[in-house]
Amino acid sequence: CALPICFMPSKTLGIYVRGVPHPINNPGHAKPVDISEVFSLIFETLESNSEIENIFISSHTLEFRKSISKKLGSKYKIYDDFRFKNSSLLSNYLLEKNGLKISKPIHQLDYLIETILLSKSQIMIAEISNASAFAAGLADSTQVKKFVNHGFY
């Protein structure tokens, strides 16, 4: 595996929770979700899909990512979001392979990689957003998609 994301998409639950609300009454943007509702959907999904071995998390919210790892890390392999780590996965790969070092734009490319990984998961649980809509559009017809939707401003 060229990049350190070696999981079997067919056995992965992908979770996307933006977690950072848009300004209130910002027309066209989704209203934030209730995290407890997301957790309920995650547990319900895992109970009815025993073949799931991996969980891939994409979220702006550190507390959400930590909570998933704490609650499920002993039973599932957790692949935490890599945009907010000290070093970018893509940046490290480009530096190692080509001697390239790129900073700010890499964060956005890492976000794109995460969205593509979400699209490859067997099951995706997501908050309504541009990223989750893009992932759903990329996914094949066998992917199970579960959206948490509280409408738009």
Side-chain angles (χ1 to χ4, degrees), residues 19-84:
V20 177
H22 290 286
I24 294 176
N25 297 324
N26 192 353
H29 287 93
K31 293 179 181 177
V33 299
D34 180 338
I35 295 300
S36 63
E37 183 180 356
V38 175
F39 273 112
S40 294
L41 187 55
I42 290 167
F43 293 128
E44 173 189 305
T45 300
L46 291 172
E47 284 177 21
S48 60
N49 294 277
S50 60
E51 72 280 6
I52 297 295
E53 296 175 1
N54 310 300
I55 297 175
F56 177 70
I57 306 166
S58 178
S59 177
H60 290 69
T61 307
L62 178 61
E63 288 306 313
F64 177 73
R65 297 189 327 258
K66 283 182 177 179
S67 292
I68 291 283
S69 293
K70 184 177 180 180
K71 292 177 181 183
L72 299 171
S74 63
K75 186 172 180 184
Y76 300 93
K77 173 70 177 155
I78 307 291
Y79 293 91
D80 195 1
D81 140 322
F82 47 80
R83 283 176 287 149
F84 299 102

Side-chain angles (χ1 to χ4, degrees), residues 32-149:
V33 299
D34 180 338
I35 295 300
S36 63
E37 183 180 356
V38 175
F39 273 112
S40 294
L41 187 55
I42 290 167
F43 293 128
E44 173 189 305
T45 300
L46 291 172
E47 284 177 21
S48 60
N49 294 277
S50 60
E51 72 280 6
I52 297 295
E53 296 175 1
N54 310 300
I55 297 175
F56 177 70
I57 306 166
S58 178
S59 177
H60 290 69
T61 307
L62 178 61
E63 288 306 313
F64 177 73
R65 297 189 327 258
K66 283 182 177 179
S67 292
I68 291 283
S69 293
K70 184 177 180 180
K71 292 177 181 183
L72 299 171
S74 63
K75 186 172 180 184
Y76 300 93
K77 173 70 177 155
I78 307 291
Y79 293 91
D80 195 1
D81 140 322
F82 47 80
R83 283 176 287 149
F84 299 102
K85 293 196 177 359
N86 289 333
S87 57
S88 159
L89 177 69
L90 183 58
S91 180
N92 289 344
Y93 178 75
L94 290 173
L95 181 61
E96 179 184 313
K97 296 293 181 186
N98 304 310
L100 299 174
K101 185 160 176 92
I102 306 169
S103 57
K104 189 79 170 168
I106 292 300
H107 174 79
Q108 299 305 323
L109 293 173
D110 282 336
Y111 184 54
L112 181 60
I113 290 170
E114 285 185 12
T115 305
I116 292 168
L117 289 173
L118 282 170
S119 77
K120 302 301 178 194
S121 300
Q122 178 179 338
I123 302 169
M124 179 177 68
I125 294 175
E127 174 178 3
I128 295 292
S129 70
N130 290 333
S132 62
F134 180 64
L138 288 176
D140 67 30
S141 61
T142 63
Q143 183 190 53
V144 176
K145 300 163 190 72
K146 298 180 180 190
F147 288 98
V148 181
N149 182 0

